[in-house]
Short mmCIF file of all heavy atoms in Angstrom, two decimals:
data_model
loop_
_atom_site.label_atom_id
_atom_site.label_comp_id
_atom_site.label_asym_id
_atom_site.label_seq_id
_atom_site.Cartn_x
_atom_site.Cartn_y
_atom_site.Cartn_z
N PRO G 1 0.83 -1.25 -0.02
CA PRO G 1 -0.01 -0.01 -0.02
C PRO G 1 0.83 1.28 -0.03
O PRO G 1 0.39 2.37 -0.39
CB PRO G 1 -0.80 -0.10 1.30
CG PRO G 1 -0.01 -1.05 2.16
CD PRO G 1 0.61 -2.02 1.20
N LEU G 2 2.08 1.12 0.42
CA LEU G 2 2.99 2.26 0.37
C LEU G 2 3.21 2.81 -1.02
O LEU G 2 3.56 4.03 -1.30
CB LEU G 2 4.33 1.98 1.10
CG LEU G 2 4.30 1.48 2.46
CD1 LEU G 2 5.73 1.24 2.98
CD2 LEU G 2 3.54 2.46 3.38
N GLN G 3 3.10 1.97 -2.03
CA GLN G 3 3.26 2.39 -3.44
C GLN G 3 2.07 3.19 -3.98
O GLN G 3 2.08 3.92 -4.90
CB GLN G 3 3.48 1.16 -4.31
CG GLN G 3 3.92 1.39 -5.75
CD GLN G 3 5.34 2.15 -5.81
OE1 GLN G 3 6.23 1.86 -4.96
NE2 GLN G 3 5.49 3.06 -6.69
N GLY G 4 0.90 3.02 -3.32
CA GLY G 4 -0.24 3.78 -3.62
C GLY G 4 -0.80 3.51 -5.01
O GLY G 4 -1.46 4.28 -5.60
N GLY G 5 -0.52 2.26 -5.53
CA GLY G 5 -0.99 1.88 -6.82
C GLY G 5 -0.31 2.58 -8.02
O GLY G 5 -0.75 2.40 -9.16
N LEU G 6 0.73 3.31 -7.79
CA LEU G 6 1.49 4.00 -8.76
C LEU G 6 2.45 3.10 -9.37
O LEU G 6 2.85 2.06 -8.83
CB LEU G 6 2.17 5.24 -8.20
CG LEU G 6 1.27 6.35 -7.63
CD1 LEU G 6 2.20 7.50 -7.24
CD2 LEU G 6 0.25 6.78 -8.53
N PRO G 7 2.91 3.40 -10.62
CA PRO G 7 4.01 2.59 -11.22
C PRO G 7 5.23 2.65 -10.31
O PRO G 7 5.49 3.61 -9.59
CB PRO G 7 4.30 3.32 -12.51
CG PRO G 7 3.01 4.02 -12.86
CD PRO G 7 2.43 4.41 -11.54
N THR G 8 5.97 1.49 -10.31
CA THR G 8 7.15 1.39 -9.46
C THR G 8 8.39 2.00 -10.08
O THR G 8 9.38 1.30 -10.35
CB THR G 8 7.35 -0.06 -9.07
OG1 THR G 8 7.41 -0.88 -10.28
CG2 THR G 8 6.30 -0.62 -8.19
N ASP G 9 8.34 3.30 -10.32
CA ASP G 9 9.50 3.98 -10.81
C ASP G 9 10.62 4.02 -9.83
O ASP G 9 10.38 4.16 -8.60
CB ASP G 9 9.08 5.45 -11.17
CG ASP G 9 8.27 5.61 -12.41
OD1 ASP G 9 7.70 4.56 -12.85
OD2 ASP G 9 8.13 6.72 -12.92
N ARG G 10 11.87 3.86 -10.31
CA ARG G 10 13.00 3.75 -9.40
C ARG G 10 14.21 4.50 -10.00
O ARG G 10 14.45 4.32 -11.17
CB ARG G 10 13.41 2.31 -9.12
CG ARG G 10 12.32 1.48 -8.39
CD ARG G 10 12.12 1.98 -6.99
NE ARG G 10 11.19 1.13 -6.18
CZ ARG G 10 9.92 1.39 -6.11
NH1 ARG G 10 9.29 2.42 -6.72
NH2 ARG G 10 9.17 0.58 -5.37
N LEU G 11 14.87 5.20 -9.23
CA LEU G 11 16.25 5.70 -9.55
C LEU G 11 17.20 4.63 -9.00
O LEU G 11 16.93 3.89 -8.04
CB LEU G 11 16.52 6.99 -8.80
CG LEU G 11 16.02 8.25 -9.52
CD1 LEU G 11 16.09 9.47 -8.50
CD2 LEU G 11 16.84 8.61 -10.74
N VAL G 12 18.35 4.52 -9.69
CA VAL G 12 19.42 3.54 -9.32
C VAL G 12 20.47 4.30 -8.54
O VAL G 12 21.13 5.27 -9.11
CB VAL G 12 19.97 2.90 -10.55
CG1 VAL G 12 21.05 1.84 -10.05
CG2 VAL G 12 18.89 2.11 -11.29
N ALA G 13 20.62 4.05 -7.30
CA ALA G 13 21.65 4.65 -6.54
C ALA G 13 22.99 3.93 -6.76
O ALA G 13 23.06 2.69 -6.73
CB ALA G 13 21.37 4.51 -5.00
N GLU G 14 24.08 4.67 -7.02
CA GLU G 14 25.43 4.16 -7.15
C GLU G 14 26.22 4.62 -5.99
O GLU G 14 26.38 5.83 -5.78
CB GLU G 14 26.03 4.61 -8.45
CG GLU G 14 25.41 4.22 -9.77
CD GLU G 14 26.01 4.77 -10.99
OE1 GLU G 14 27.25 4.96 -10.95
OE2 GLU G 14 25.33 5.07 -11.89
N TRP G 15 26.73 3.72 -5.21
CA TRP G 15 27.46 4.04 -4.02
C TRP G 15 28.87 3.63 -4.27
O TRP G 15 29.23 2.41 -4.08
CB TRP G 15 26.91 3.39 -2.79
CG TRP G 15 27.25 4.04 -1.50
CD1 TRP G 15 27.58 5.34 -1.28
CD2 TRP G 15 27.21 3.40 -0.20
NE1 TRP G 15 27.78 5.58 0.00
CE2 TRP G 15 27.58 4.43 0.73
CE3 TRP G 15 26.96 2.23 0.27
CZ2 TRP G 15 27.65 4.25 2.11
CZ3 TRP G 15 26.99 1.86 1.61
CH2 TRP G 15 27.37 3.00 2.60
N TRP G 16 29.76 4.50 -4.68
CA TRP G 16 31.14 4.22 -5.08
C TRP G 16 31.91 4.30 -3.71
O TRP G 16 32.20 5.39 -3.20
CB TRP G 16 31.68 5.21 -6.09
CG TRP G 16 31.02 4.92 -7.44
CD1 TRP G 16 29.91 5.56 -7.94
CD2 TRP G 16 31.39 3.93 -8.40
NE1 TRP G 16 29.60 4.96 -9.18
CE2 TRP G 16 30.48 4.01 -9.46
CE3 TRP G 16 32.46 2.96 -8.44
CZ2 TRP G 16 30.58 3.17 -10.56
CZ3 TRP G 16 32.54 2.20 -9.51
CH2 TRP G 16 31.67 2.24 -10.57
N LEU G 17 32.23 3.14 -3.17
CA LEU G 17 32.65 3.00 -1.76
C LEU G 17 33.93 3.72 -1.44
O LEU G 17 34.12 4.11 -0.25
CB LEU G 17 32.69 1.53 -1.41
CG LEU G 17 31.47 0.63 -1.75
CD1 LEU G 17 31.73 -0.78 -1.38
CD2 LEU G 17 30.24 1.19 -0.99
N GLU G 18 34.80 3.89 -2.42
CA GLU G 18 36.13 4.47 -2.12
C GLU G 18 36.24 5.89 -2.87
O GLU G 18 37.36 6.36 -2.92
CB GLU G 18 37.21 3.59 -2.44
CG GLU G 18 37.25 2.31 -1.70
CD GLU G 18 38.37 1.36 -2.06
OE1 GLU G 18 38.48 0.96 -3.20
OE2 GLU G 18 39.30 1.12 -1.19
N SER G 19 35.13 6.43 -3.38
CA SER G 19 35.21 7.71 -4.00
C SER G 19 35.50 8.82 -2.99
O SER G 19 35.27 8.67 -1.82
CB SER G 19 33.92 7.99 -4.78
OG SER G 19 32.81 8.13 -3.82
N LYS G 20 36.08 9.91 -3.43
CA LYS G 20 36.29 11.01 -2.58
C LYS G 20 35.00 11.56 -1.97
O LYS G 20 35.02 11.94 -0.81
CB LYS G 20 37.04 12.10 -3.36
CG LYS G 20 37.49 13.33 -2.53
CD LYS G 20 38.24 14.36 -3.32
CE LYS G 20 38.77 15.50 -2.52
NZ LYS G 20 37.71 16.28 -1.78
N ARG G 21 33.96 11.54 -2.79
CA ARG G 21 32.65 12.04 -2.27
C ARG G 21 32.19 11.20 -1.09
O ARG G 21 31.79 11.84 -0.04
CB ARG G 21 31.68 11.92 -3.46
CG ARG G 21 30.20 12.11 -3.11
CD ARG G 21 29.42 11.77 -4.28
NE ARG G 21 27.88 11.81 -3.99
CZ ARG G 21 27.19 12.91 -3.99
NH1 ARG G 21 27.62 14.07 -4.27
NH2 ARG G 21 25.91 12.82 -3.71
N VAL G 22 32.31 9.89 -1.15
CA VAL G 22 31.80 9.11 -0.03
C VAL G 22 32.82 9.15 1.19
O VAL G 22 32.38 9.27 2.29
CB VAL G 22 31.58 7.60 -0.46
CG1 VAL G 22 31.33 6.66 0.64
CG2 VAL G 22 30.48 7.60 -1.53
N THR G 23 34.10 9.06 0.91
CA THR G 23 35.04 9.12 2.01
C THR G 23 35.00 10.48 2.71
O THR G 23 35.09 10.49 3.93
CB THR G 23 36.45 8.75 1.49
OG1 THR G 23 36.81 9.63 0.39
CG2 THR G 23 36.51 7.38 1.06
N ASP G 24 34.84 11.59 1.91
CA ASP G 24 34.79 12.82 2.54
C ASP G 24 33.51 12.95 3.49
O ASP G 24 33.56 13.49 4.58
CB ASP G 24 34.65 13.99 1.50
CG ASP G 24 36.04 14.35 0.85
OD1 ASP G 24 36.99 13.79 1.33
OD2 ASP G 24 36.01 15.13 -0.05
N LEU G 25 32.37 12.41 3.01
CA LEU G 25 31.17 12.42 3.76
C LEU G 25 31.30 11.70 5.06
O LEU G 25 30.93 12.12 6.18
CB LEU G 25 30.05 11.91 3.01
CG LEU G 25 28.71 11.85 3.65
CD1 LEU G 25 28.21 13.28 4.02
CD2 LEU G 25 27.61 11.22 2.69
N LEU G 26 31.88 10.49 4.92
CA LEU G 26 31.95 9.57 6.16
C LEU G 26 33.08 10.07 7.17
O LEU G 26 32.89 9.77 8.33
CB LEU G 26 32.17 8.15 5.72
CG LEU G 26 31.04 7.46 4.85
CD1 LEU G 26 31.43 6.09 4.52
CD2 LEU G 26 29.74 7.57 5.56
N THR G 27 34.05 10.72 6.64
CA THR G 27 35.14 11.08 7.58
C THR G 27 34.89 12.54 8.09
O THR G 27 35.23 12.91 9.24
CB THR G 27 36.48 11.04 6.88
OG1 THR G 27 36.49 11.78 5.69
CG2 THR G 27 36.80 9.58 6.61
N ALA G 28 34.41 13.46 7.19
CA ALA G 28 34.32 14.87 7.47
C ALA G 28 32.89 15.37 7.72
O ALA G 28 32.62 16.53 8.03
CB ALA G 28 35.03 15.74 6.50
N GLY G 29 31.91 14.54 7.23
CA GLY G 29 30.54 14.87 7.35
C GLY G 29 29.96 15.71 6.25
O GLY G 29 28.83 16.15 6.39
N LYS G 30 30.74 15.86 5.19
CA LYS G 30 30.23 16.68 4.06
C LYS G 30 30.96 16.38 2.79
O LYS G 30 32.04 15.73 2.80
CB LYS G 30 30.39 18.21 4.36
CG LYS G 30 31.86 18.67 4.59
CD LYS G 30 31.92 20.11 4.91
CE LYS G 30 33.35 20.54 5.06
NZ LYS G 30 33.43 22.00 5.42
N TYR G 31 30.41 16.77 1.65
CA TYR G 31 31.04 16.66 0.39
C TYR G 31 30.71 17.94 -0.44
O TYR G 31 29.78 18.69 -0.08
CB TYR G 31 30.58 15.36 -0.39
CG TYR G 31 29.15 15.29 -0.56
CD1 TYR G 31 28.33 15.99 -1.45
CD2 TYR G 31 28.40 14.32 0.24
CE1 TYR G 31 26.97 15.86 -1.63
CE2 TYR G 31 27.03 14.22 0.11
CZ TYR G 31 26.33 14.97 -0.87
OH TYR G 31 24.99 14.81 -0.96
N SER G 32 31.46 18.15 -1.46
CA SER G 32 31.31 19.42 -2.22
C SER G 32 30.28 19.18 -3.37
O SER G 32 30.16 18.08 -3.89
CB SER G 32 32.62 19.87 -2.82
OG SER G 32 33.22 18.95 -3.64
N LEU G 33 29.59 20.16 -3.77
CA LEU G 33 28.65 20.26 -4.86
C LEU G 33 29.12 21.25 -5.87
O LEU G 33 29.63 22.31 -5.50
CB LEU G 33 27.23 20.49 -4.40
CG LEU G 33 26.50 19.41 -3.64
CD1 LEU G 33 25.24 19.97 -3.09
CD2 LEU G 33 26.25 18.21 -4.48
N PRO G 34 28.82 21.08 -7.17
CA PRO G 34 29.16 22.07 -8.18
C PRO G 34 28.23 23.29 -7.97
O PRO G 34 27.15 23.20 -7.39
CB PRO G 34 28.90 21.42 -9.51
CG PRO G 34 27.93 20.31 -9.14
CD PRO G 34 28.26 19.83 -7.79
N GLU G 35 28.74 24.43 -8.46
CA GLU G 35 27.98 25.70 -8.25
C GLU G 35 26.59 25.62 -9.11
O GLU G 35 25.58 26.11 -8.65
CB GLU G 35 28.71 26.85 -8.65
CG GLU G 35 29.89 27.21 -7.72
CD GLU G 35 30.66 28.43 -8.01
OE1 GLU G 35 30.13 29.23 -9.00
OE2 GLU G 35 31.68 28.73 -7.44
N LYS G 36 26.69 25.15 -10.26
CA LYS G 36 25.54 25.14 -11.19
C LYS G 36 24.75 23.82 -11.00
O LYS G 36 25.22 22.73 -11.24
CB LYS G 36 25.96 25.25 -12.65
CG LYS G 36 24.74 25.38 -13.58
CD LYS G 36 25.22 25.55 -15.05
CE LYS G 36 24.02 25.67 -15.98
NZ LYS G 36 24.44 25.91 -17.38
N LEU G 37 23.49 23.93 -10.45
CA LEU G 37 22.66 22.84 -10.18
C LEU G 37 21.32 22.96 -10.76
O LEU G 37 20.73 24.06 -10.75
CB LEU G 37 22.54 22.61 -8.67
CG LEU G 37 23.81 22.21 -7.94
CD1 LEU G 37 23.59 22.35 -6.44
CD2 LEU G 37 24.21 20.79 -8.30
N GLU G 38 20.71 21.88 -11.29
CA GLU G 38 19.27 21.81 -11.66
C GLU G 38 18.49 21.19 -10.51
O GLU G 38 18.98 20.33 -9.92
CB GLU G 38 19.15 21.07 -13.01
CG GLU G 38 19.89 21.62 -14.13
CD GLU G 38 19.28 22.97 -14.70
OE1 GLU G 38 18.07 23.14 -14.33
OE2 GLU G 38 19.98 23.68 -15.38
N ARG G 39 17.21 21.59 -10.42
CA ARG G 39 16.43 21.10 -9.33
C ARG G 39 15.08 20.39 -9.78
O ARG G 39 14.48 20.94 -10.79
CB ARG G 39 16.02 22.26 -8.42
CG ARG G 39 17.26 22.76 -7.59
CD ARG G 39 16.99 24.11 -6.94
NE ARG G 39 18.09 24.40 -5.95
CZ ARG G 39 19.24 24.89 -6.29
NH1 ARG G 39 19.52 25.10 -7.54
NH2 ARG G 39 20.21 25.10 -5.36
N VAL G 40 14.75 19.40 -9.07
CA VAL G 40 13.43 18.72 -9.27
C VAL G 40 12.78 18.58 -7.86
O VAL G 40 13.39 17.94 -7.01
CB VAL G 40 13.60 17.39 -9.92
CG1 VAL G 40 12.23 16.70 -10.04
CG2 VAL G 40 14.18 17.55 -11.34
N GLU G 41 11.56 19.10 -7.73
CA GLU G 41 10.93 19.15 -6.36
C GLU G 41 9.94 18.06 -6.17
O GLU G 41 9.32 17.59 -7.14
CB GLU G 41 10.25 20.49 -6.18
CG GLU G 41 11.25 21.69 -6.20
CD GLU G 41 10.55 22.95 -6.02
OE1 GLU G 41 9.30 22.96 -5.95
OE2 GLU G 41 11.27 23.99 -5.97
N VAL G 42 9.87 17.55 -4.96
CA VAL G 42 8.92 16.56 -4.53
C VAL G 42 8.07 17.01 -3.36
O VAL G 42 8.72 17.29 -2.26
CB VAL G 42 9.62 15.21 -4.18
CG1 VAL G 42 8.55 14.11 -3.82
CG2 VAL G 42 10.46 14.72 -5.28
N PRO G 43 6.82 17.30 -3.51
CA PRO G 43 6.06 17.86 -2.42
C PRO G 43 5.80 16.91 -1.24
O PRO G 43 5.64 15.69 -1.50
CB PRO G 43 4.71 18.24 -3.04
CG PRO G 43 4.57 17.30 -4.23
CD PRO G 43 5.97 17.09 -4.66
N ALA G 44 5.94 17.41 -0.03
CA ALA G 44 5.66 16.56 1.12
C ALA G 44 4.29 15.93 1.16
O ALA G 44 4.08 14.87 1.73
CB ALA G 44 5.95 17.37 2.38
#
C-alpha cells in the first residue's frame, strides 16, 4: 500500500565506496557540490 497503486518507478543509487565524495562524507561529514545545479521538487 505504500506504493499507492502508482508505477514502481525507481532511481538507481550508485554508491562508489572509495570515491572522494563518499570518503569525505563519512570522515568529515560533508562533500562538495558544483555551483551550477538543476532542481526537481517533490512535495511533502
Side-chain angles (χ1 to χ4, degrees):
L2 301 180
Q3 191 65 36
L6 299 184
T8 52
D9 286 16
R10 296 294 185 266
L11 276 164
V12 181
E14 299 176 31
W15 203 24
W16 292 94
L17 306 178
E18 296 180 299
S19 65
K20 184 177 185 300
R21 171 184 171 87
V22 171
T23 54
D24 282 355
L25 178 61
L26 295 181
T27 57
K30 60 182 180 180
Y31 53 77
S32 60
L33 289 172
E35 291 184 8
K36 186 177 181 180
L37 293 166
E38 299 288 342
R39 290 168 167 78
V40 175
E41 298 180 355
V42 183

